[in-house]
Amino acid sequence: IEKCFLVIQNLKKLLQSNKMLTNVGDEGGFAPSINTNEEALEFIVRAIEKSNLKPESDIAICLDVAANELINEKGEYSIQSKSFASVDNVINYYKKLTSEYPIKSIEDPFAEDDWDSWKKITETIGKKVQIVGDDLFVTNTKRLEKGIKNKSANSILVKPNQIGTLTETLEVISMAKKANLNTIISHRSGDTEDTFI
């Protein structure tokens, strides 16, 4: 928690020194006007270093792409800009980013029903990077079972309020663990104060 706090404070200072907005959203993230993904990653790496931490060994970067919002009707994605690219080009881009920056996890790199693309990215960089299904699995045993058979991801984000009951949540966790998927227990703004998760 201390490391994250230091990085966030130093990131805020870096953004302010570049005359960028430091307003935060519901979950505490900054949303300045930045031109490229690489520019954002450079700011984060500089904030890590300014905190006297080493990128990758002390702290890593995790991306939540939320690609459901970035796909067009042709199945292409606008990951880099407003222009759209093929799945293979997007996978190559993710591969490039993960080789140049200390990225250890990518959540929702493709749309929730683009199973083939999920399988491709997991095959390509899944040994090095955590490929996390949130929108893909929605804490649902049927979707998780399909993902396990398809080898669509190596991790699942678990949110009890996505499936509705604690029993179903525990079933998802058990199924994921049996398949050797990492389980990341998460929450939503406004969730219960109960410490169950």
Side-chain angles (χ1 to χ4, degrees), residues 12 18 25 32-33 42-43 47 52 57 89 96 106-107 115 119 121 131 134 139 145 157-158 178 181 187 190:
K12 183 176 185 177
N18 282 272
S33 183
E42 289 293 336
F43 269 110
N52 293 320
S57 61
N89 286 338
K96 179 178 180 278
I106 303 176
E107 180 182 333
W115 294 92
K119 181 176 181 165
I121 193 166
I131 305 298
D134 176 13
T139 315
E145 185 175 26
L157 198 69
V158 177
K178 282 179 188 159
L181 267 71
H187 70 93

Side-chain angles (χ1 to χ4, degrees), residues 7 17 28 53 74 85 122 144 193:
V7 172
S17 70
L53 298 167
K74 295 179 193 171
T122 302
L144 178 58
E193 293 295 316

Side-chain angles (χ1 to χ4, degrees), residues 96-142:
K96 179 178 180 278
L97 284 182
T98 57
S99 67
E100 293 177 1
Y101 296 95
I103 297 167
K104 290 295 174 191
S105 182
I106 303 176
E107 180 182 333
D108 291 334
F110 291 105
E112 62 194 30
D113 290 318
D114 192 354
W115 294 92
D116 291 339
S117 299
W118 279 85
K119 181 176 181 165
K120 276 187 187 178
I121 193 166
T122 302
E123 286 171 351
T124 306
I125 62 172
K127 285 189 173 68
K128 178 185 173 191
V129 179
Q130 189 169 249
I131 305 298
V132 184
D134 176 13
D135 295 338
L136 180 70
F137 296 133
V138 290
T139 315
N140 180 296
T141 53
K142 287 181 182 154

